[in-house]
Amino acid sequence: MDRALLVIAHGSRDPRHAATVHALTGRVRALRPGLRVETAFLDFNTPTVGQALSSLYLSGVREVVALPLLLTRAFHAKSDIPAALAESTSRLPGLSVRVADVLGPSPLLLTALERRLSEAGITPADRATTAVVLASAGSTDPEAIAVIAETAREWRRTGWCAVRPAFASAALPRTEDAVRALHAEGFERVAVAPYVIAPGRLPDRIVAGAEAAGADVVADVLGAAPELARLLLRRFDAAAVTAPTRLPALSA
């Protein structure tokens, strides 16, 4: 087993975050028993990226696919993760790293969102009378915001009477404002679908805003949905056949 998948999550002080990430990677292992799957965190939790890569290297792994557990290509994907990988691999001669794409956009994510809405009580018959708020954590990166907006537009085309993007931080509108706007427009039912992977401070803010604004349904986070596990493997397979990633040079 000389190749491994390293899933890199953001990390959080909230213990639910790491527990959810580990549940998701556990589901990935179950789907592909022959693949070594490890987890690392950028902040707050261990192992760090450097610790995880060192452990893999000492066990004989020489090829790693690093997969950012992120829904958009924002600052963490563009800067933090490449920098952490570059710093770590500089001390591990002979280790090649391929960086996989972030998870979004993907039809599998829309299917996972619909799974969570179904678990919250929305039926297929409700689709034509339900307006949905696609509530993400938020970002200052215009590319990430544009991807969320396009995801909302794509999801709307599957039959929902409305899908609007909203954000817990860094961008507008906030979840509560989107819910109130949809109610004001006269939609029969307003559901909030958190477009986040694991619980934490910003997902809690999404839920609080949704409840304060009177959302009729609030779904759970994506979590260890089976669609996400399949998507991780899809990203791994695509990256595994590419050339090793050229990581940024370390500053002197």
Side-chain angles (χ1 to χ4, degrees):
M1 193 182 295
D2 59 356
R3 174 179 287 173
L5 168 61
L6 179 62
V7 178
I8 303 176
H10 182 276
S12 172
R13 292 186 178 90
D14 189 322
R16 296 173 298 168
H17 176 92
T20 301
V21 172
H22 289 306
L24 176 58
T25 53
R27 177 160 266 175
V28 174
R29 291 187 195 97
L31 286 174
R32 192 168 299 180
L35 175 64
R36 181 167 178 180
V37 182
E38 301 294 343
T39 307
F41 298 90
L42 287 175
D43 207 354
F44 303 117
N45 304 104
T46 56
T48 65
V49 173
Q51 289 168 341
L53 285 176
S54 294
S55 177
L56 288 167
Y57 187 84
L58 290 173
S59 69
V61 171
R62 292 298 179 267
E63 295 184 19
V64 172
V65 172
L67 197 162
L69 195 63
L70 302 168
L71 297 173
T72 60
R73 273 186 49 77
F75 184 79
H76 294 306
K78 294 177 180 178
S79 180
D80 287 347
I81 288 176
L85 291 169
E87 196 278 330
S88 302
T89 55
S90 67
R91 304 190 304 270
L92 304 172
L95 180 67
S96 69
V97 175
R98 293 164 172 83
V99 182
D101 287 340
V102 295
L103 300 182
S106 168
L108 284 170
L109 289 172
L110 298 184
T111 303
L113 286 165
E114 295 194 353
R115 172 187 291 277
R116 295 302 184 225
L117 283 173
S118 175
E119 292 168 351
I122 297 293
T123 70
D126 296 326
R127 186 184 291 261
T129 57
T130 301
V132 180
V133 175
L134 180 69
S136 77
S139 174
T140 57
D141 189 308
E143 179 186 347
I145 298 302
V147 168
I148 299 298
E150 179 58 27
T151 299
R153 286 191 290 270
E154 286 295 320
W155 200 15
R156 162 69 181 81
R157 297 186 186 109
T158 66
W160 300 98
C161 63
V163 179
R164 305 281 173 81
F167 308 93
S169 68
L172 297 174
R174 295 287 187 259
T175 304
E176 52 269 35
D177 296 329
V179 170
R180 291 188 181 107
L182 289 168
H183 275 310
E185 292 173 38
F187 288 101
E188 181 178 320
R189 183 187 295 103
V190 177
V192 173
Y195 193 51
V196 291
I197 294 172
R201 179 175 57 87
L202 293 179
D204 284 350
R205 187 180 295 176
I206 289 171
V207 173
E211 293 176 346
D216 300 284
V217 173
V218 182
D220 200 357
V221 298
L222 295 169
E227 294 83 5
L228 259 69
R230 296 204 304 272
L231 181 54
L232 263 64
L233 286 173
R234 188 172 293 182
R235 294 289 186 256
F236 168 81
D237 290 336
V241 297
T242 64
T245 301
R246 192 169 185 174
L247 297 169
L250 297 176
S251 57

